[in-house]
Amino acid sequence: MFVSRIKMYLLLFIANANKKAFIYNKYLGVTFGVNVRILHYPRFGSEPYLITIGNNVTITRGVCFVNHDGGAAIFRNQYPNLNVYGRITVGDNVFIGINTIILPNVKIGNNVVIGAGSLVNKSIPDNVVAAGVPARIIKSIDEYKESILKKSCIINTKDPIEKRDQIIEYLNNNE
């Protein structure tokens, strides 16, 4: 077990954002769709095999999937084998912002953006942006798209210096 954990961490260290999903699936049992990007090391809880991630999902830094209720431990003197578990399901075309916590028995629909720092304690329907503690719907995905298009900056280069210059020029002209 120790060797496989070391191997997993080494593989994760060199893997790109799309390859990480495959590694987490193989070593932890999280179920992933296709084109899942993991931008850092999320925490998949103590029962990762209860987590299902759809297609075209981005999971950012510090995202935590909690699929059990650890508070049940205070009753273990009375009920030694007491445990409470729940599945977590993330739909297709979902973006999960930095430092989001997703609790047990939550289903996140398709075409959803979860804002940074959110606590998702209830299921989120399709086609919305949700954020906050606890997370609540703040706008439709169409409203979000409209607002993003109004303030977007189109970058036409992969060169980091040119990209920096284009971003600074855009901001100087639009602030």
Side-chain angles (χ1 to χ4, degrees), residues 6 21 31 35 42-43 48 50 57 62 64-65 67-68 72 84 87 92 121 137 140 151 159 166 172 175:
I6 290 173
T31 302
N35 196 32
R43 288 172 276 168
L50 297 177
V57 173
C64 184
F65 296 83
N67 43 24
H68 68 280
V84 178
R87 296 183 189 279
D92 297 335
N121 63 346
I137 297 169
S140 73
K151 60 185 176 184
D159 177 85
Q166 286 182 18
N172 287 340
E175 291 181 319

Side-chain angles (χ1 to χ4, degrees), residues 14 18 25-26 46 63 69 72-74 79-80 85 88 106 109 113 115 121 134 138 143 145 149 152 157 164 168 172:
I14 61 173
N18 290 312
N25 174 270
K26 180 174 181 179
S46 55
V63 173
D69 185 343
I74 66 169
Y79 308 98
Y85 301 105
I88 297 172
V106 164
V113 173
N121 63 346
I138 57 174
E143 291 168 324
K145 179 181 174 183
L149 290 173
S152 65
T157 182
R164 179 201 65 198
I168 291 170
N172 287 340

Side-chain angles (χ1 to χ4, degrees), residues 2-112:
F2 182 71
V3 174
S4 66
R5 281 221 182 260
I6 290 173
K7 183 178 178 183
M8 178 182 74
Y9 288 121
L10 288 173
L11 290 171
L12 286 170
F13 183 74
I14 61 173
N16 67 29
N18 290 312
K19 183 73 172 173
K20 286 179 182 172
F22 171 79
I23 296 166
Y24 279 119
N25 174 270
K26 180 174 181 179
Y27 288 94
L28 298 179
V30 180
T31 302
F32 293 96
V34 297
N35 196 32
V36 174
R37 294 184 327 140
I38 298 175
L39 301 181
H40 203 260
Y41 304 105
R43 288 172 276 168
F44 286 113
S46 55
E47 295 77 30
Y49 46 84
L50 297 177
I51 301 168
T52 302
I53 309 292
N55 301 318
N56 304 310
V57 173
T58 299
I59 301 169
T60 58
R61 179 183 298 268
V63 173
C64 184
F65 296 83
V66 180
N67 43 24
H68 68 280
D69 185 343
I74 66 169
F75 303 111
R76 289 217 180 102
N77 287 339
Q78 267 181 298
Y79 308 98
N81 298 316
L82 179 65
N83 290 288
V84 178
Y85 301 105
R87 296 183 189 279
I88 297 172
T89 303
V90 176
D92 297 335
N93 301 313
V94 174
F95 180 91
I96 305 172
I98 291 175
N99 294 329
T100 292
I101 299 171
I102 304 170
L103 296 181
N105 300 310
V106 164
K107 291 182 180 181
I108 296 174
N110 299 319
N111 305 309
V112 171

